[in-house]
């Protein structure tokens, strides 16, 4: 007997080819939808009872049978069969084996097409929650660092050249902002994920007197998909999730790149806790920042999944096509990658050791207060372009003498502009430069502290 009997084999005269079976089966990966599949089935069965299509006894049998099956799955005792193709048929078959005809009635008014679309949406809704809380954990770690280092000076870079002094806390808050937008974006994706496809059946709806709103309420959906063809067919919600996930990885990859640079002895700004690094099998002195490197590397696979899903969708005519079975592996891998990355990251940031002396030294080396000197001259009445020119000449002189601007004497500085007075030295210090940028979004330590306080309230 073909084990597919009961699902669809009645129409066929020879058993399916072995390789075709393996090629078309999704059970090796979609078993992960089991909990959501059962949830969806129970909501569907309760609705069928509610509208009088299913008897109370049948519903009770289905509920009992599903509880047992769920228990087996959770205990790892459920036997998944490749012959039964996917998670939906595996569970339905196990149910029927237990409770007989009541199990066979479960699929009334439903198709695997609306069933799988529902499962994927339930899975993704749950994943969104896990990813959003991972983002919040990372943000909390960033805020702790920002608060502790609200006044720790480091060089700010443009073009990776020393530009102006900033605080390390300010730098951490930049990433906090990026992750805030990621959190918002995922919340926005959730609105479109959280709609119920069930009721669309295979593609056209069903002739049973179903109550889709009932099922939507049971499953916590905000509403139903309005068009049955669209409901079983489009995976745009998965694609936009992947796009938002890609941006999360972009942000973490950028931070990773900085951590890697900063940990290089050439910078020596930070050290990562040993548990996030590995050594070299040949060079005994090495301590490598493997975790940030892998975050940077895994960003590529998440981008790849986004491309994969877009391409999967682009040529499909309405409505459901088997192509869509290929949505799951990229989606699962994207979720797994993000959840693990965010979990590791929140902890790695907690173990970050900041080296303020090295940061200060680097900030003092690159004429990072040159803009402050120009601004000083502007305040004394010089047009900005002339001030820029005067300071450029001062920088050249300091460079030739291998010293910083603040180490030039008053007379030396006055050679570049007679407007320079005793008070110039206050603006040439790193602290003076930081304190001067005292407005919302600026790097002054007081602003960083205020920003941390606002951020804490925002994510509380
Ligand atoms: N395993 C299938 C998927 O993931 C379930 C839907 C199958 N529907 C069908 N008509 N063959 O998309």
């Amino acid at each position: 007997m073909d084990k597919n009997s009961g699902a669809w084999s009645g129409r066929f005269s020879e058993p399916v080819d072995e390789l075709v079976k393996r090629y078309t089966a999704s059970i090796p990966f979609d078993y992960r939808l089991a909990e959501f599949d059962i949830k969806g089935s129970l909501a569907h069965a309760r609705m069928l009872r509610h509208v009088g299509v299913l008897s109370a006894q049948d519903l009770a049998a289905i509920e009992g049978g599903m509880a047992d099956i769920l228990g087996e799955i959770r205990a790892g005792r459920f036997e998944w069969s490749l012959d039964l193709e996917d998670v939906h048929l595996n569970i339905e078959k196990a149910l029927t084996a237990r409770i007989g005809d009541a199990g066979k009635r479960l699929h009334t008014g439903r198709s695997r097409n609306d069933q799988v679309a529902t499962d994927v949406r339930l899975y993704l809704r749950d994943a969104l929650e896990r990813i959003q809380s991972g983002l919040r954990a990372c943000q909390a770690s960033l805020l702790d660092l920002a608060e502790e280092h609200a006044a720790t000076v480091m060089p700010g870079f443009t073009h990776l050249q020393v530009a102006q002094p900033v605080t390390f806390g300010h730098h951490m808050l930049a990433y906090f902002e990026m992750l805030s937008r990621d959190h918002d974006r995922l919340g926005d994706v959730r609105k479109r994920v959280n709609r119920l496809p069930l009721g669309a059946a295979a593609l056209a709806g069903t002739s049973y007197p179903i109550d889709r709103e009932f099922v939507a309420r049971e499953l916590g959906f905000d509403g139903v998909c309005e068009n049955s063809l669209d409901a079983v067919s489009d995976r745009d919600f998965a694609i936009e999730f992947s796009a938002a996930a890609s941006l999360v990885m972009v942000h973490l990859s950028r931070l990773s790149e900085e951590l890697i640079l900063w940990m290089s002895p050439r910078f020596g700004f930070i050290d990562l806790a040993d548990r996030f690094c590995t050594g070299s099998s040949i060079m005994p002195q090495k301590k490598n920042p493997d975790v940030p490197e892998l975050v940077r590397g895994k960003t590529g696979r998440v981008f790849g999944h986004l491309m994969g899903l877009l391409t999967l969708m682009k040529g499909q005519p309405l409505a459901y096509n088997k192509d869509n079975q290929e949505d799951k592996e990229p989606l699962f891998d994207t979720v797994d990658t993000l959840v693990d990355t965010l979990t590791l990251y929140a902890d790695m940031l907690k173990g970050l050791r900041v080296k303020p002396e090295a940061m200060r030294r680097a900030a003092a080396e690159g004429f990072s207060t040159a803009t402050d000197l120009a601004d000083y001259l502007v305040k004394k009445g010089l047009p900005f372009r002339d001030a820029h020119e005067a300071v450029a000449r001062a920088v050249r002189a300091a460079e030739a003498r291998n010293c910083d601007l603040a180490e030039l004497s008053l007379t030396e500085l006055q050679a570049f502009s007679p407007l320079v007075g005793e008070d110039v030295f206050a603006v040439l210090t790193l602290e003076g430069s930081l304190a001067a940028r005292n407005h919302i979004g600026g790097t002054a330590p007081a602003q960083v502290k205020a920003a941390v306080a606002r951020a804490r309230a925002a994510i509380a």
Side-chain angles (χ1 to χ4, degrees), residues 26 30 85-86 88 112-113 116 320 322 324-325 328:
S26 52
D30 72 6
E85 202 178 317
D86 59 24
H88 323 294
R112 276 187 294 158
N113 297 352
V116 72
Y320 176 86
K322 188 80 164 185
N324 275 346
Q325 182 165 290
K328 289 165 204 63

Side-chain angles (χ1 to χ4, degrees), residues 92-223:
E92 193 186 321
K93 196 81 180 176
L95 184 69
T96 303
R98 271 162 205 278
I99 65 171
D101 282 355
K104 294 188 193 163
R105 291 197 180 100
L106 171 63
H107 212 51
T108 311
R110 175 177 87 164
S111 151
R112 276 187 294 158
N113 297 352
D114 58 347
Q115 188 178 354
V116 72
T118 303
D119 292 5
V120 172
R121 284 170 183 265
L122 288 172
Y123 163 82
L124 199 48
R125 190 177 70 188
D126 174 76
L128 282 169
E129 241 161 69
R130 287 184 288 139
I131 292 169
Q132 284 189 309
S133 75
L135 282 168
R136 286 295 191 237
C138 286
Q139 289 182 292
S141 296
L142 288 167
L143 287 184
D144 288 344
L145 281 169
E147 184 152 52
E148 189 182 342
H149 295 285
T152 302
V153 62
M154 71 178 274
F157 298 91
T158 59
H159 314 271
L160 206 54
Q161 308 291 319
V162 171
Q164 292 172 352
V166 296
T167 70
F168 184 68
H170 196 54
H171 201 109
M172 291 298 101
L173 287 179
Y175 286 100
F176 175 90
E177 289 296 316
M178 296 178 224
L179 299 190
S180 289
R181 291 193 296 278
D182 288 330
H183 191 277
D184 283 0
R185 237 184 306 275
L186 291 169
D188 201 54
V189 168
R190 187 186 192 279
K191 292 183 207 158
R192 286 174 291 279
V193 167
N194 205 28
R195 303 238 143 219
L196 175 77
L198 270 180
L203 76 164
T206 175
S207 56
Y208 296 95
I210 57 168
D211 183 344
R212 298 185 68 206
E213 301 289 350
F214 178 100
V215 183
R217 274 195 304 278
E218 278 280 309
L219 292 174
F221 282 112
D222 297 326

